[in-house]
Amino acid sequence: MSLRRVLFVAGASSAIDWYDFFIYGTAAALVFNKLFFPAGNPVAGTLLAFATFAVGFAARPIGGMLFGHFGDRAGRKPALVTSLFLMGISTTLVGVLPSYHSIGVAAPIILVVLRVLQGIAVGGQWAGGALIATESAPAHKRGFYGSFAQIGVSVGLFSSTGVFILVTSLLPDDAFQAWGWRLPFLLSVVLVAIAFFAQFKLEETAPMKEVKREARPSRSPVLEVLLTNWRTVLLAGGAIVVIGTNFYLFGTYLLSYGTSVLKLPRGLLLAGVLIGAVLQAVAIPLCGALSDRIGRRRVYLTGAVALAVWIVPAFLLLGTKNPVLVVLAIAVGEALVALVYGPQAALFAELFPARMRYSGASLGYQLGSLVGGALTPLIATALYARFGSYLPVAGLVVVTAIVSFISVVLMAETARTRLDDTPPVSTVEHA
């Protein structure tokens, strides 16, 4: 199978899939509180909008289990293609959904259903893209090749933020509120084309072919991985909480905090997110390649410490309201996420045997994202409303960094682990 084709599908599908997921978060911060959750108290409307944002994360473990079972039994490719179709269709439908003022309470209900479908889709897509890349890569370059599935997150964030900047700059605010916000959602039909390309141009990975050839697919891979590798699943989930917390704090929550608390221009904050996404996209493959040379753990642990250290300076820089410093605060925070996100695809692939790898990687990733990402904007908003200070929000970031640091310390190094169906050495029992 052509590695260039694999990397294109892994990167492009991940980029557009995450674009779809992120535009919801941006819209939740900017318009959904008014269009779908009108309330007398603006804070209440924002909390409700972010609550629906969190619903997508709650659905991701469901997607991880469904597509994990499918991906470990039928193959990586059909699971990936199905998840891409589901995401493309559900996101496009958000773009044509009438507002609360048009159809009443049905609007937020349908919005939540579509957000659940988005969550199920992205819950299945990540492992598909990551495993297509890592299982097809040379053993000494898995960190680098796996990072292409991770780059898609940065490209998705860049694209979603860039589209919103373009739409908000070209349209007056009333037009943006009325119909302009729908345009980013309608663009997601491109994901359907990527799904067709993957269906007809990709082959199954060698480890999955081996599992099928030897008639060793697990009857219930989700159940098997939870029974035999539950400690590894928990450690994987713990490792990722710092990623989700920082990603959605810098990419979503600070949009709301900057506009509502600091009264900063929306365009300035979006510019910070945009620049940070570019830096992150460049840094992710470098960090993935670095993990091939010095190991996954060293890169990952450095990132967890760096994010814990940066959070307070970031809030202080935002508080200056100096445009350069505001952009710096957001952009550096996003770039530092690359230290933990770059090696993460290879790390998770190396943690589990081939016959249950899709399920194990998906469950670890989505459970960690549920804890570390789903509730970040909601908890951060509530913490600031309760205490009137950014310090409790910063404390939240530090706690998640500590959780991830400890989780990775308890893992053995995985960079030299084989990706055939031999038992992994990187479980807590061997730490």
Side-chain angles (χ1 to χ4, degrees):
M1 179 162 47
S2 168
L3 279 177
R4 286 183 297 178
R5 190 177 297 168
V6 168
L7 296 181
F8 168 75
V9 171
S13 64
S14 176
I16 302 173
D17 208 52
W18 284 106
Y19 162 87
D20 289 359
F21 202 73
F22 288 148
I23 56 176
Y24 191 102
T26 305
L30 300 179
V31 297
F32 280 179
N33 58 333
K34 300 174 184 177
L35 295 177
F36 293 99
F37 305 98
N41 185 341
V43 174
T46 300
L47 286 172
L48 286 171
F50 280 148
T52 63
F53 177 75
V55 163
F57 286 86
R60 281 168 60 170
I62 298 175
M65 288 187 288
L66 291 175
F67 284 98
H69 180 89
F70 188 27
D72 282 328
R73 288 191 57 80
R76 319 308 193 207
K77 173 184 159 181
L80 175 62
V81 170
T82 303
S83 70
L84 297 180
F85 275 118
L86 180 60
M87 176 62 90
I89 294 171
S90 59
T91 306
T92 302
L93 290 177
V94 173
V96 298
L97 180 63
S99 69
Y100 180 90
H101 299 291
S102 299
I103 61 174
V105 71
I109 292 175
I110 297 173
L111 182 67
V112 170
V113 171
L114 293 175
R115 182 59 176 173
V116 168
L117 293 178
Q118 275 192 323
I120 291 174
V122 81
Q125 182 277 332
W126 176 81
L131 296 187
I132 286 284
T134 54
E135 290 186 342
S136 302
H140 63 290
K141 291 186 177 181
R142 286 198 297 258
F144 175 69
Y145 281 88
S147 71
F148 278 78
Q150 311 296 83
I151 291 174
V153 179
S154 304
V155 175
L157 179 61
F158 175 89
S159 302
S160 62
T161 306
V163 167
F164 268 98
I165 289 177
L166 182 63
V167 172
T168 55
S169 63
L170 294 179
L171 296 175
D173 191 63
D174 57 344
F176 173 75
Q177 296 283 343
W179 56 270
W181 67 270
R182 299 180 182 275
L183 298 178
F185 288 89
L186 297 177
L187 290 175
S188 67
V189 294
V190 176
L191 191 59
V192 176
I194 299 294
F196 274 112
F197 179 87
Q199 173 64 30
F200 293 108
K201 297 296 184 179
L202 280 189
E203 299 177 15
E204 190 53 78
T205 67
M208 189 62 207
K209 286 180 178 179
E210 180 185 351
V211 170
K212 288 184 174 181
R213 181 171 59 251
E214 298 184 7
R216 291 186 289 113
S218 173
R219 290 188 176 183
S220 180
V222 173
L223 182 60
E224 183 177 351
V225 78
L226 289 176
L227 289 175
T228 63
N229 290 72
W230 62 270
R231 292 182 181 87
T232 307
V233 172
L234 291 179
L235 289 179
I240 204 173
V241 293
V242 70
I243 299 176
T245 298
N246 283 275
F247 205 99
Y248 293 104
L249 185 130
F250 285 102
T252 299
Y253 169 72
L254 289 185
L255 292 176
S256 176
Y257 173 80
T259 55
S260 62
V261 176
L262 300 179
K263 308 301 180 184
L264 292 169
R266 181 170 57 195
L268 174 63
L269 296 165
L270 289 173
V273 173
L274 199 65
I275 294 171
V278 173
L279 294 176
Q280 190 180 86
V282 173
I284 282 176
L286 297 177
C287 294
L290 182 61
S291 76
D292 287 325
R293 295 179 61 86
I294 68 173
R296 317 291 182 222
R297 294 207 313 169
R298 290 183 182 178
V299 180
Y300 216 103
L301 294 176
T302 300
V305 172
L307 288 166
V309 170
W310 179 249
I311 186 61
V312 171
F315 273 107
L316 291 174
L317 292 175
L318 285 170
T320 67
K321 300 186 179 181
N322 180 296
V324 174
L325 297 181
V326 167
V327 170
L328 183 68
I330 298 174
V332 171
E334 289 185 34
L336 289 176
V337 172
L339 285 165
V340 282
Y341 206 57
Q344 191 246 326
L347 172 64
F348 277 36
E350 293 159 354
L351 285 173
F352 302 97
R355 61 191 307 235
M356 63 181 85
R357 183 169 293 142
Y358 205 122
S359 298
S362 290
L363 286 174
Y365 187 98
Q366 304 310 337
L367 288 174
S369 296
L370 175 62
V371 175
L375 302 178
T376 294
L378 188 65
I379 293 175
T381 301
L383 285 173
Y384 190 88
R386 171 66 178 83
F387 296 102
S389 170
Y390 67 82
L391 289 176
V393 180
L396 173 67
V397 172
V398 172
V399 169
T400 60
I402 292 172
V403 170
S404 291
F405 188 94
I406 293 174
S407 297
V408 176
V409 165
L410 291 175
M411 296 178 184
E413 180 55 59
T414 66
R416 301 296 177 261
T417 303
R418 296 172 58 184
L419 289 189
D420 58 16
D421 217 3
T422 54
V425 299
S426 52
T427 61
V428 70
E429 293 91 338
H430 297 82

